[in-house]
Amino acid sequence: MIAGSVTWQSLRAEALRRIRSRIWPPGAQIPHEADLAEEFGCARATVNRALRDLAEAGYLERRRKGGTRVALTPVRKATFEISIIRQDIEGRGQGYGYRLLADRLAPAPTEVRKALRLMDGSMSELRFVRALHLADDRPFCLESRWLNPAVAGPGLCFDAQSANEWLVRNIAFSGGDLGFYARAADRALAADLACDEGAALFAVDRTTFSDTTPITAVTLTYAPGYRLVTEM
Amino acid sequence: MIAGSVTWQSLRAEALRRIRSRIWPPGAQIPHEADLAEEFGCARATVNRALRDLAEAGYLERRRKGGTRVALTPVRKATFEISIIRQDIEGRGQGYGYRLLADRLAPAPTEVRKALRLMDGSMSELRFVRALHLADDRPFCLESRWLNPAVAGPGLCFDAQSANEWLVRNIAFSGGDLGFYARAADRALAADLACDEGAALFAVDRTTFSDTTPITAVTLTYAPGYRLVTEM
DNA sequence: TCGAAAATTAAGTATAGACATAATCTGCGA
DNA sequence: TCGCAGATTATGTCTATACTTAATTTTCGA
């Protein structure tokens, strides 16, 4: 039961309590919105708001006509933010530095073309940009990027502003893929990131699209010791 | 303008179009809910639903009385699911195997106690579990875990079912911290994961709580080649 | 001029009622 | 028995209205 006035948050909390305490066990059907509204003495819309929120969070599964049931395996979702690297560094209280290492048109490797869904042979060459982000003058992250030249034409210069920052600020992207992995530093990476050859490095591959237009495929390789952290 | 009946999704789409096309530029204040409701010929609640959704997605910032403004740096959020490792492996179409390597009470290292907020000296010993998850009989992931013995007492046996699976299925956790990083395989890791010493390994640290009760702190270290993938 | 109190404002939430939509279930006919 | 049409049902959504809450702005007194 809920004391006092019923808000959708209090109703959500009570529903979560019933799920956790197994009053509503995994897989079980829970009462209809109308019944719950009556039980708690509130409008159905309020119940709907609470249950919808729990469904979004993965605790419940809802289907029209089928009713609402407790998720069998509560899939916990972790979210983290894709920010501008400069802000990431400055947020740690460190000084930001940036160095452009390469910027040229070149034929992209097959796996990059595949990730960007450019297998039809269009756009034979992509713009390749390599840049280093520094924190307190020490290498922090190496950005290795393939760009759709139709989106970031040759008039655009990445000498002062990184492609990362320009893209986040100016291109509306609608979706993409993300991959996290560990890689060993080869000779070139070790030189750029000022670490030992063979060092274990954290890396992120990211492909972005705006609608169906391929925008960019980037690999961010971080200097040793980097941790990507988030809360659940 | 929106053709036909106005749903909160169509309104959301139109608002997003205005943000992307810079009709509503970054940082700018957008019209009030009441004004938009009038413009689109719908109820304010419908506008609220659409704008609230865009705010949750990071496109807008809303404050009571302050109104709604377009986010200066659209923070993109990626979400991924925390699943049972067995399901992860089976989802790849591989056969799942499991081997318990260690299970004992032991004093936990300081950093583990700190992560679990056990710095007051209570619970001098925690339950330590080490287990290997195999995919098609090859090492896939090493689970190295500290457990609150009050939650997973000695009566509970992890010979057949991994602590990972038992916890996901039986413990309601409310929150925790997550960290991703790369680490080099030391001699012990190399032996367990059947890889070369010094290999770059992807690892995840996870701390979980139920309310304020510490549940577990785990490190999952994956065999070489593992990629954590998700979509945006 | 300064600062606190009061007024104002825009989002947040609750409600009753209505209709839409997708599943599911029922019953009929072949 | 099978399959499809139609009835049923639970969630999804929209509306109009009212009230709440947080924050800003204005006002007014010291």
Side-chain angles (χ1 to χ4, degrees), chain A residues 83-101 129-145 157-169 193 206 218 220-222 226:
Chain A
S83 57
I84 297 171
I85 297 169
R86 181 176 59 74
Q87 291 182 334
D88 192 1
I89 291 173
E90 288 173 349
R92 296 156 184 260
Q94 297 184 293
Y96 176 71
Y98 169 75
R99 217 156 63 215
L100 184 65
L101 303 179
V129 176
R130 231 161 85 98
L132 192 63
H133 300 264
L134 305 115
D136 282 344
D137 297 319
R138 287 164 53 189
F140 179 82
C141 173
L142 183 73
E143 176 182 348
S144 183
R145 183 184 296 275
C157 162
F158 295 128
D159 286 350
Q161 187 186 37
S162 74
N164 168 268
E165 188 154 351
W166 183 83
L167 282 162
V168 171
R169 288 201 186 279
L193 290 171
R206 200 158 75 215
V218 65
L220 299 175
T221 308
Y222 290 85
Y226 178 80

Side-chain angles (χ1 to χ4, degrees), chain A residues 6-9 41-46 49 63-65:
Chain A
V6 178
T7 64
W8 71 267
Q9 288 101 330
C42 66
R44 188 168 76 88
T46 307
R49 181 91 157 83
R63 289 164 67 184
R64 275 175 174 158
K65 163 85 182 173

